[in-house]
């Protein structure tokens, strides 16, 4: 591909992408007022749309750019330069969608607390952001061969860090802190967390109102009832 072909393909998609972002800018970064104004849309819908919108655009944008990069005439400096400029603009627009998805998820969590789905969705958004950054550092600077190995390593580190962070403990700590500030506590979800969350639940439940603390401890006791649990469910 030469500069004309690169400009036609990436230029048209950039214009389309930019029009989408500009047209939906108030929606992409709306707050409580937007959610309350739109009938039939709650915080969950607003956050979910942003998350799947980001995943869909990432699946469309990055493979397209990788495919075009592999077809560029290496000895044509104009083609390489136009690709880097237009592809960089497309990655920048994708970063806008990443910020929108993170904004919506933060708004959702601020209203209803943290759950496993919300935690891992947030972690996945952060992983996509790192992938886009690595794409800019490698592909847009002539190091496309390093992109895939580095991306695989980054996602491996991402997965390992989730084990080190201990998601259930984080979820329990965040929700109990919100309850201490006067927000409603979802005791059912906390009781369904793994044993990793139990030490935090027992330690920080002392600061809860007596009624909520009793509900939480009762839910934990029911979960650990020997008469209704399979022995294979038990761990140290």
């Amino acid at each position: 591909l030469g500069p004309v072909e690169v400009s036609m393909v990436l230029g048209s998609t950039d214009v389309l992408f930019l029009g989408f972002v500009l047209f939906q800018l108030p929606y992409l970064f709306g707050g409580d007022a937007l959610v309350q104004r739109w009938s039939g849309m709650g915080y969950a819908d607003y956050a979910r749309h942003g998350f799947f919108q980001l995943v869909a655009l990432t699946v469309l944008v990055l493979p397209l750019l990788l495919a075009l990069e592999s077809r560029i005439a290496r000895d044509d400096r104009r083609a390489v330069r136009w690709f880097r400029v237009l592809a960089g603009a497309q990655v920048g627009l994708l970063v806008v969608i990443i910020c929108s998805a993170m904004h919506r998820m933060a708004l959702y969590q601020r209203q209803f607390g943290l759950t496993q789905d919300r935690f891992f969705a947030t972690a996945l958004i952060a992983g996509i952001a790192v992938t886009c950054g690595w794409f800019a550092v490698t592909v847009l600077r002539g190091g496309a061969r390093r992109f895939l190995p580095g991306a695989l390593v980054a996602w491996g580190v991402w997965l390992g860090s989730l084990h080190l962070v201990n998601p259930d403990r984080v979820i329990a700590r965040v929700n109990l802190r919100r309850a201490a500030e006067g927000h409603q506590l979802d005791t059912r979800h906390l009781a369904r967390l793994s044993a990793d969350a139990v030490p935090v639940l027992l330690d920080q439940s002392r600061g809860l109102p007596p009624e909520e603390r009793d509900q939480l401890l009762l839910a934990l006791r029911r979960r650990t009832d020997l008469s209704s649990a399979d022995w294979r469910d038990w761990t140290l």
Side-chain angles (χ1 to χ4, degrees):
L1 300 178
V4 176
E5 293 84 357
V6 171
S7 301
M8 288 178 61
V9 174
L10 284 184
S12 59
T13 53
D14 279 356
V15 170
L16 179 65
F17 202 168
L18 179 62
F20 169 78
V21 170
L22 292 178
F23 183 75
Q24 296 218 25
L25 197 59
Y27 176 80
L28 293 176
F29 294 97
D32 298 293
L34 175 70
V35 177
Q36 296 168 5
R37 186 172 67 248
W38 282 39
S39 60
M41 181 180 69
Y43 287 96
D45 297 324
Y46 187 53
R48 193 177 298 116
H49 289 166
F51 174 78
F52 287 109
Q53 189 179 71
L54 169 62
V55 172
L57 286 171
T58 303
V59 171
L60 289 172
V61 168
L62 295 187
L64 170 65
L65 296 181
L66 286 172
L68 287 176
E69 195 278 338
S70 66
R71 300 291 296 174
I72 293 177
R74 303 297 175 184
D75 55 347
D76 193 333
R77 293 185 178 181
R78 289 182 59 196
V80 173
R81 183 168 61 251
W82 273 110
F83 170 79
R84 292 180 180 179
V85 171
L86 296 175
Q90 200 159 132
V91 172
L93 291 171
L94 185 59
V95 170
V96 175
I97 303 300
I98 292 174
C99 294
S100 172
M102 190 65 77
H103 164 73
R104 300 190 207 189
M105 192 61 64
L107 188 67
Y108 187 24
Q109 294 175 11
R110 188 167 65 246
Q111 289 293 327
F112 298 104
L114 197 59
T115 63
Q116 289 178 323
D117 291 342
R118 297 165 203 166
F119 177 90
F120 287 111
T122 304
L124 184 58
I125 294 172
I128 292 175
V130 172
T131 304
C132 289
W134 179 244
F135 183 92
V137 171
T138 55
V139 178
L140 298 186
R141 299 184 64 181
R145 293 183 178 180
R146 293 184 288 124
F147 171 71
L148 185 57
L152 292 176
V153 171
W155 282 101
V157 173
W158 174 85
L159 183 61
S161 64
L162 289 181
H163 288 283
L164 295 176
V165 166
N166 194 342
D168 286 353
R169 181 177 59 189
V170 174
I171 295 169
R173 183 181 293 114
V174 169
N175 288 334
L176 288 173
R177 184 172 64 247
R178 291 182 75 256
E181 296 172 353
H183 296 280
Q184 186 176 1
L185 182 66
D186 188 354
T187 55
R188 288 186 177 181
H189 181 76
L190 291 181
R192 288 198 300 266
L193 297 176
S194 70
D196 294 333
V198 172
V200 175
L201 293 176
L202 295 179
D203 181 56
Q204 298 190 12
S205 63
R206 300 187 183 94
L208 295 175
E211 182 178 355
E212 289 186 344
R213 183 175 186 273
D214 292 342
Q215 290 178 356
L216 178 60
L217 295 179
L218 179 61
L220 288 175
R221 291 191 188 99
R222 287 176 177 173
R223 194 186 70 174
T224 56
D225 183 6
L226 281 172
S227 62
S228 61
D230 193 309
W231 65 271
R232 292 169 295 183
D233 293 338
W234 285 87
T235 64
L236 180 60

